[in-house]
Amino acid sequence: MLKPFEVHVQARSLECFQPELTGAEWAALQASAAQARDRLAGHTFWNVNSTARGGGVAELLPRMLAYARGAGVDTRWMVVEGTPAFFRITKRLHHALHGSRGDDSPLGPAERACYDEVLRDNAEELLVLVRPGDVVLLHDPQTAGLAPTLAAAGARVVWRCHIGCDTLEEEVVRAWAFLAPGLAAVRLAVFSRAAYVPPLLADRSVVIPPSIDIFAVKNQPMAPQVASAILGHTGLVALAPDAPDPVFIRTDGVPARVSRGADIIRLGSAPAPGAPLVVQVSRWDPLKDPVGVLRGFALLLRESPGLRADLVLAGPSVTSVADDPEAAATIENVTAVWREQPRFLRQRVHLASLPMVDLEENAAIVNALQRHATVVVQKSLREGFGLTVTEAMWKSRPVVASAVGGLQDQVRNEVDGLLVRDPEDLPAFAACVRRLLEEPVLAARLGAQAHEHVRVRFTAVRHLSDLVALLEELDARAERSD
Ligand code: UDP
């Protein structure tokens, strides 16, 4: 019998935002908090997804939950349990919603039966917890099928889709057909951009882009020497002789050290602490196109062997992300392509699996890597919304991203980063990376503007107020239908 489990999140006060906001913004945030308490009085705001670690949703949820709880709203997080067959189907749906065929496996009656059965099991436990009038926010295709059962129990069910495709391609239509029975029961759907809203949800969708938490371990301030020391201790760069301690501050305010190493595939030694790094941090997923990044970088170095730069492709250690069955095959594939490269390239390209045993330690390593990077890239073939890009932009890094999906809303080309129009265009990608490596003034200007853009559009403050507006919309719709 499969059962969801709860992830407990400590409340975090909104007070930390006060110094970052104007008086009016701070008052608006407090008014939003009061409104949320009011609208949810006596009810719980549930979030249900399918993994507690790895990937954007698992990054976003605990941060938003912590602030909601800090604002006095009873918010809880449940993670459904699945079988390997279930996660294969949901990964297939994930690809299809991005317009991609994934492993091309069928999405027929057998898959539907497996999907429904896993969610039926999970629903049993949820029904013990969820009370009539509670709001349940289901995340992504893995949980959409829970909607009818929870709605029948009197919950106000909202489905949030973190992925999407700008055009209604054949695969996308197939995914929507699979998900339609579940989605018939949702009152509202949330998408990261308007172009993702499918016809079947056109009358009940809102757009809320994700956000980053600027106070998370992942984004907390870090001196350049400390970033370098953390990377030195994990083996990602050579450790400088005078390096300070590799320390970060945990969410509870207690200092900690990074002590675990990354699992790295490279030829020869680690890059020197001062060597410019081109970095992509992502789950090991073919849609993040790590092979394309490697090939684009190889092209760049073949054209300019004298260019000083190393490439780091980093992702979570492969066994760690529960709902992502493709990670091992993806890293094997990248490694195979790496092995085909000439020796000088294998010395300059580093494939790193980051330790995930302690998620805050992992976040500190990602933080250090993004801050230490000379250029951060996200060469995704598809992307719902790329948190890694917003994280890097917050750190004033110049980014090169593909002009796909949500990345187009996150990066304004030539204003706060560079966009590559065709994600498969390796020469264009290589040219953008080269520009940022060779033009430090441009890189600094884009980085500074990137930080400001994130501050205004993509922090938790904006996101929390959007979620309060969502509650308002739910109530308004309920009144209209009464
Ligand atoms: N991430 C991480 N450790 C890793 C690799 C990735 O914490 O080793 C995080 C990354 O910093 C980001 C999230 O996972 O916060 C990935 O989110 P994104 O929206 O970029 O992609 P998704 O995984 O949701 O497709």
Side-chain angles (χ1 to χ4, degrees):
M1 177 85 182
L2 300 163
K3 248 177 141 182
F5 63 89
E6 179 157 10
V7 183
H8 294 279
V9 177
Q10 286 284 321
R12 184 174 164 88
S13 161
L14 295 173
E15 299 283 326
C16 56
F17 288 106
Q18 191 170 6
E20 303 286 324
L21 301 175
T22 63
E25 287 168 340
W26 173 240
L29 181 62
Q30 286 179 305
S32 287
Q35 209 188 342
R37 280 193 298 274
D38 216 33
R39 290 192 183 273
L40 285 165
H43 292 294
T44 302
F45 188 116
W46 299 92
N47 280 270
V48 187
N49 84 324
S50 61
T51 184
R53 50 179 55 211
V57 181
E59 177 73 25
L60 195 67
L61 271 182
R63 312 306 309 171
M64 296 303 288
L65 254 84
Y67 290 121
R69 293 180 70 80
V73 173
D74 179 20
T75 321
R76 293 170 69 179
W77 177 13
M78 302 296 295
V79 178
V80 295
E81 204 183 7
T83 58
F86 173 81
F87 286 131
R88 182 160 173 227
I89 296 162
T90 58
K91 193 70 206 272
R92 172 75 176 91
L93 287 167
H94 174 100
H95 279 290
L97 280 180
H98 274 308
S100 145
R101 303 179 79 87
D103 65 1
D104 215 11
S105 50
L107 285 173
E111 288 72 31
R112 161 153 310 287
C114 168
Y115 177 85
D116 287 345
E117 192 187 331
V118 165
L119 292 180
R120 213 170 18 248
D121 271 7
N122 279 281
E124 236 177 77
E125 174 77 5
L126 290 172
L127 287 175
V128 175
L129 300 169
V130 175
R131 284 162 306 135
D134 283 359
V135 175
V136 183
L137 186 52
L138 302 172
H139 294 265
D140 282 335
Q142 296 91 324
T143 62
L146 290 166
T149 318
L150 294 168
R156 295 179 274 169
V157 182
V158 181
W159 182 61
R160 182 161 187 174
C161 187
H162 295 268
I163 49 185
C165 182
D166 286 359
T167 49
L168 214 50
E169 292 165 27
E170 191 187 336
E171 283 303 316
V172 183
V173 172
R174 182 168 295 156
W176 289 126
F178 190 97
L179 294 169
L183 297 178
V186 310
R187 292 202 189 178
L188 271 177
V190 181
F191 289 90
S192 300
R193 65 187 324 237
Y196 297 164
V197 178
L200 88 153
L201 293 167
D203 60 336
R204 51 204 158 107
S205 289
V206 297
V207 174
I208 304 182
S211 62
I212 60 162
D213 179 11
I214 59 173
F215 300 108
V217 174
K218 171 87 42 87
N219 301 311
Q220 68 187 206
M222 185 182 270
Q225 301 81 341
V226 174
S228 182
I230 288 177
L231 300 184
H233 278 268
T234 52
L236 283 156
V237 302
L239 188 61
D242 53 351
D245 282 344
V247 288
F248 63 98
I249 308 293
R250 288 195 181 277
T251 308
D252 62 8
V254 179
R257 289 173 68 92
V258 168
S259 27
R260 293 180 179 85
D263 192 348
I264 304 169
I265 295 170
R266 70 153 63 92
L267 181 64
S269 49
L277 295 189
V278 176
V279 171
Q280 176 163 297
V281 178
S282 278
R283 283 180 302 102
W284 299 105
D285 182 317
L287 294 181
K288 309 289 183 185
D289 200 19
V291 168
V293 179
L294 197 165
R295 291 197 194 282
F297 187 76
L299 181 67
L300 180 63
L301 283 203
R302 271 202 304 276
E303 282 171 355
S304 318
L307 195 69
R308 260 189 90 221
D310 282 50
L311 171 67
V312 175
L313 285 168
S317 67
V318 290
T319 48
S320 60
V321 185
D323 66 349
D324 192 353
E326 283 179 319
T330 306
I331 194 164
E332 266 170 37
N333 194 16
V334 191
T335 308
V337 174
W338 179 87
R339 286 192 205 292
E340 290 164 9
Q341 303 303 314
R343 191 180 164 78
F344 87 98
L345 258 162
R346 278 179 287 142
Q347 289 170 327
R348 310 272 290 274
V349 176
H350 316 262
L351 310 180
S353 290
L354 307 182
M356 291 283 281
V357 182
D358 173 344
L359 290 184
E360 292 195 337
E361 179 186 58
N362 174 275
I365 298 170
V366 172
N367 190 353
L369 203 41
Q370 290 169 332
R371 287 186 189 277
H372 188 84
T374 302
V375 179
V376 170
V377 301
Q378 193 61 53
K379 206 193 126 349
S380 302
L381 302 174
R382 309 275 204 281
E383 192 66 76
F385 184 96
L387 282 181
T388 50
V389 167
T390 298
E391 289 159 4
M393 290 170 75
W394 173 249
K395 290 154 197 155
S396 304
R397 296 294 81 210
V399 296
V400 175
S402 310
V404 296
L407 294 173
Q408 301 164 91
D409 305 326
Q410 298 172 250
V411 180
R412 293 166 302 174
N413 191 31
E414 303 279 347
V415 177
D416 35 36
L418 299 180
L419 286 175
V420 180
R421 188 181 300 271
D422 173 1
E424 315 260 10
D425 186 345
L426 295 185
F429 170 75
C432 287
V433 175
R434 177 206 298 282
R435 264 182 85 196
L436 294 181
L437 286 170
E438 289 181 345
E439 297 179 40
V441 175
L442 169 72
R445 176 169 59 78
L446 297 180
Q449 282 163 188
H451 175 81
E452 183 56 16
H453 189 46
V454 174
R455 196 187 66 75
V456 176
R457 296 251 352 247
F458 297 116
T459 71
V461 173
R462 189 273 305 151
H463 199 165
L464 286 165
S465 84
D466 282 354
L467 288 173
V468 175
L470 173 80
L471 294 175
E472 222 175 290
E473 179 67 19
L474 265 181
D475 284 349
R477 282 170 182 256
E479 273 166 32
R480 281 203 295 274
S481 63
D482 279 348

